[in-house]
Amino acid sequence: MKAVDLPPDYYLSNFLSLVNFVADRYTSLLSPGEKTFYDSFQSVDPDAQKLYVRLLSRKGQLFRRSKLSYSEIDSIETAAQILAGAGLLDIDPVVEPAVLVPLFSKAELLALCVERGELKTFRTLGRGALEKALLVQAESVGLRLSGADTVYRINGEEAFTTFKLCYFGNLRQDLTDYVLRDLGLQTYERYSLEQRHLLFQSRAQIERHLQYYRCAEQLDTVIGADADTLVDFHAGLPAKDRADKTLSRRLDRLTLTLARQLERLDALDQADMLYRACERPPARERRARLAAKQGRPAAALAFCRDILAAPRSEEELTFAGAFGYRIARRHGDDWPQPPAYQVPTKTVVLAAGPASVEWAAAEYLAAEGRCFYVENTLFNGVLGLFIWDIVFAPVAGAFFNPFQTAPGDFYEPDFHIARAELLQARFEQLSGPAFTDTVKRNFRHKRGIANPLVAWQYLSEELIDLALTRIPAAHWEKIFRRQLAELRNNRAGLPDLVLFPPDSGYELVEVKGPGDRLQKNQLRWMCFFAEHNIAHRVLAVEWGDCA
DNA sequence: GCGGGTTCAG
DNA sequence: TTCACACTGTCAG
DNA sequence: GACAGTGTGTCTCTGAACCCGCAG
Ligand SMILES: [Mn+2]
Ligand SMILES: [Mn+2]
């Protein structure tokens, strides 16, 4: 499909692009060690730089010389010596045998470390058991292994981590993002990068993010530990910073996970303590549930009233109304009864087959019109195409590197507030021809460019044309405004199918198989449709043998 | 030998 | 390096 | 009916090389 060839030193160019970008902008925020790292790297010749980047993009810090084969580097030995002279690499460093053993395969370990007489017993061991057995005689094993191959250890990984954080704003992305882009496998919108607004304002802020990621790395192992360990782990997280929403979002996410695990361990007081540190949902919901569970109904109701007074999401608002009612009624208190919406439902019996229930339902409904299995992709997609340039508009601080699929504040609650004028002006085009023009133009011109609202492989010209023709502007506007109000929550929960009858109109259909029920977000969308007279229903499918 | 998983390259 | 959705099991009213 | 926990398909690309465990 694509015959893109990368230049032979592509990885070095990418590395230099990244570190130079950061060095240009962040000199005053880099630590002495990070500056030394940068300067040392610049001081060595290209072959040494290439070897360094090759090793840096491999896993681990220790490498066996004999496992390295890079035809574009003239002499790996020379390059290694130069790197060693610059302090970027150690040759045959003194290390624990325990970190040496994983560099060798089982066959090698048996050949190098096991006497002939013992082969029979050792050969039957699994990898883990063999390593353990060998380390009983650590010194001799270490000696034999270090004699078997030259070992390199790269330094400066930590410094490079800071550079990556400053460049990407996260530690999820790395140099492979350059490759994927340059191979044409991932396309990013070409928004303008403002030099002016930097992602990080102080060294302390960088340190907090680094500390967060150090903790986050350990989460997988820590999550299986006991309650005290979890609480200690939480205490090791960096402090929140009022001005840093990104950090706050990451800390909340991690803390919610920890608190949820504490609940499972029945450490309810500790869980509550952690929830108290979270600003975002569902912290208050969990605290209300905890209070009720612990026999403190008044406290539970107080949390519900807190939420009702200042909901941070529609989900927690709905929860507070329903949960408050249940708790209040149980204790004879007054509480308004939450509205209950009975979604119009039609039941059909379909022949059981290999296809999923959604596809079977779509086939069944094809008798009533053109039917598409779209879930969230239709409304998210058309919204994304309609406001494409607003999503990528140069709002202060929104874009800080070329590898973003969305502005930094895309899922923040005030995304739409920061772009209120642009969005208002755009909404005024909804009733005219500019709406369909914009959507169709962007569908053609932006095709393939990454956008969290647009799932390209699920959108077709036919679907978009039909939707734009059949769905009235007033409906688009109501739906778009609801999506934008809470992009995180409202981008999901839209019905499975959209049905276009032969002549006019449309209907949104959520398919439910036996034993499946509407999820909370699906029900909220259904209530919304009812409120705005948007045709919708649940199609309950039962499996039968009649065709 | 195979199948599954991981690592690496582009 | 998930996320959205479906499915299953439980508990209580 | 409410809730929790788990499974599934899908994500970021894909193919080659390698390693390991297991069956034969
Ligand atoms: Mn669905
Ligand atoms: Mn469904």
Side-chain angles (χ1 to χ4, degrees):
Chain A
M1 182 161 144
K2 67 227 144 245
V4 185
D5 266 353
L6 299 179
D9 62 345
Y10 72 93
Y11 54 94
L12 178 57
S13 312
N14 296 341
F15 177 88
L16 287 170
S17 153
L18 191 156
V19 293
N20 287 332
F21 183 99
V22 175
D24 284 349
R25 281 149 236 249
Y26 281 105
T27 34
S28 61
L29 297 188
L30 293 178
S31 74
E34 287 150 10
K35 283 181 191 161
T36 304
F37 165 78
Y38 180 76
D39 293 338
S40 304
F41 187 85
Q42 299 288 356
S43 76
V44 299
D45 73 47
D47 264 12
Q49 292 186 334
K50 287 180 192 170
L51 178 61
Y52 185 82
V53 178
R54 283 295 199 188
L55 296 183
L56 194 63
S57 49
R58 286 211 191 183
K59 199 165 185 181
Q61 294 174 305
L62 294 173
F63 306 97
R64 285 167 58 187
R65 167 62 187 93
S66 68
K67 294 283 186 182
L68 306 178
S69 161
Y70 300 118
S71 57
E72 78 279 13
I73 299 174
D74 279 340
S75 163
I76 288 179
E77 275 76 20
T78 310
Q81 281 161 17
I82 292 172
L83 287 173
L88 289 167
L89 178 139
D90 297 316
I91 300 172
D92 281 328
V94 180
V95 294
E96 294 289 317
V99 297
L100 226 41
V101 173
L103 302 180
F104 293 81
S105 72
K106 260 183 80 175
E108 288 171 323
L109 291 173
L110 289 171
L112 291 167
C113 304
V114 179
E115 308 298 338
R116 290 200 187 281
E118 297 172 313
L119 261 182
K120 273 229 163 66
T121 43
F122 278 79
R123 208 198 292 277
T124 57
L125 299 175
R127 169 92 214 185
L130 175 63
E131 290 194 12
K132 205 171 173 184
L134 288 176
L135 288 170
V136 170
Q137 286 166 346
E139 310 98 279
S140 94
V141 165
L143 225 60
R144 291 178 195 223
L145 292 183
S146 33
D149 206 343
T150 300
V151 170
Y152 297 151
R153 180 177 63 196
I154 56 159
N155 301 321
E157 244 192 343
E158 267 190 51
F160 184 56
T161 297
T162 306
F163 279 81
K164 278 190 292 187
L165 176 67
C166 291
Y167 187 82
F168 291 112
N170 61 60
L171 290 184
R172 178 176 48 86
Q173 294 175 283
D174 57 27
L175 287 171
T176 64
D177 289 64
Y178 277 90
V179 180
L180 294 182
R181 178 196 62 180
D182 295 340
L183 287 174
L185 295 167
Q186 175 85 302
T187 316
Y188 297 94
E189 177 61 314
R190 295 200 197 143
Y191 38 79
S192 65
L193 282 180
E194 330 121 53
Q195 269 274 41
R196 205 144 312 207
H197 196 281
L198 290 182
L199 202 45
F200 297 103
Q201 310 300 319
S202 70
R203 182 67 204 183
Q205 189 186 13
I206 293 176
E207 291 293 341
R208 280 191 286 268
H209 280 262
L210 289 172
Q211 191 184 346
Y212 161 77
Y213 277 109
R214 277 194 298 270
C215 293
E217 262 181 18
Q218 303 176 323
L219 181 66
D220 272 352
T221 51
V222 164
I223 205 71
D226 60 14
D228 288 342
T229 309
L230 294 180
V231 172
D232 288 347
F233 178 75
H234 175 256
L237 289 172
K240 277 192 179 176
D241 171 8
R242 279 196 141 281
D244 192 340
K245 279 188 193 169
T246 303
L247 180 65
S248 167
R249 191 174 63 233
R250 290 176 181 158
L251 286 171
D252 273 6
R253 201 176 132 88
L254 191 63
T255 307
L256 287 167
T257 305
L258 291 170
R260 203 69 189 74
Q261 182 59 18
L262 284 169
E263 283 194 70
R264 289 186 196 100
L265 297 174
D266 214 33
L268 303 188
D269 291 328
Q270 292 94 318
D272 188 70
M273 187 179 73
L274 264 58
Y275 284 132
R276 193 160 32 184
C278 299
E279 309 153 45
R280 292 168 178 73
R284 287 186 294 184
E285 169 180 334
R286 298 312 312 175
R287 296 192 74 192
R289 289 187 193 280
L290 279 176
K293 190 173 178 182
Q294 292 180 309
R296 299 180 283 122
L301 291 178
F303 282 125
C304 290
R305 277 189 286 267
D306 269 4
I307 292 171
L308 291 170
R312 295 202 54 147
S313 73
E314 198 186 303
E315 178 175 10
E316 72 169 353
L317 176 69
T318 309
F319 161 80
F323 193 72
Y325 178 70
R326 225 167 47 231
I327 300 299
R329 223 172 54 138
R330 197 179 300 167
H331 296 85
D333 293 336
D334 272 347
W335 196 277
Q337 185 168 1
Y341 176 54
Q342 289 296 325
V343 184
T345 301
K346 190 181 157 191
T347 304
V348 293
V349 178
L350 300 180
S356 73
V357 68
E358 291 87 357
W359 285 112
E363 197 183 333
Y364 165 78
L365 287 175
E368 299 181 27
R370 195 71 180 85
C371 189
F372 298 83
Y373 180 16
V374 294
E375 271 181 352
N376 306 306
T377 59
L378 174 61
F379 289 99
N380 285 350
V382 175
L383 173 62
L385 294 171
F386 185 43
I387 65 165
W388 187 282
D389 54 312
I390 301 177
V391 167
F392 292 105
V395 168
F399 294 99
F400 33 85
N401 73 56
F403 297 97
Q404 292 179 243
T405 59
D409 63 344
F410 189 64
Y411 288 119
E412 289 294 313
D414 50 6
F415 168 82
H416 65 105
I417 297 166
R419 294 151 183 85
E421 288 96 37
L422 292 171
L423 287 170
Q424 188 50 40
R426 188 60 48 92
F427 277 129
E428 278 158 21
Q429 300 178 357
L430 264 174
S431 44
F435 171 44
T436 56
D437 289 352
T438 303
V439 171
K440 289 186 188 183
R441 177 165 30 83
N442 283 334
F443 183 69
R444 278 194 286 270
H445 287 127
K446 300 295 186 182
R447 187 185 279 268
I449 300 178
N451 181 320
L453 291 172
V454 185
W456 289 106
Q457 71 255 51
Y458 292 98
L459 295 176
S460 66
E461 193 114 29
E462 187 202 1
L463 169 65
I464 288 178
D465 280 348
L466 257 173
L468 291 174
T469 311
R470 296 295 187 85
I471 303 175
H475 289 186
W476 287 114
E477 172 161 7
K478 294 292 183 193
I479 292 170
F480 287 164
R481 287 194 187 280
R482 178 171 151 83
Q483 289 172 290
L484 287 167
E486 276 186 51
L487 273 173
R488 173 65 73 178
N489 291 325
N490 293 344
R491 70 181 172 164
L494 285 149
D496 293 315
L497 309 178
V498 58
L499 174 67
F500 301 106
D503 299 323
S504 67
Y506 74 105
E507 185 174 16
L508 302 173
V509 181
E510 171 58 35
V511 181
K512 287 300 170 197
D516 189 17
R517 326 174 43 122
L518 284 174
Q519 299 175 34
K520 285 184 291 181
N521 55 358
Q522 294 173 332
L523 184 60
R524 290 200 305 278
W525 271 114
M526 292 292 175
C527 291
F528 169 88
F529 295 145
E531 197 180 324
H532 295 98
N533 294 311
I534 294 171
H536 63 286
R537 71 174 131 147
V538 164
L539 188 68
V541 175
E542 288 169 8
W543 299 121
D545 26 33
C546 54

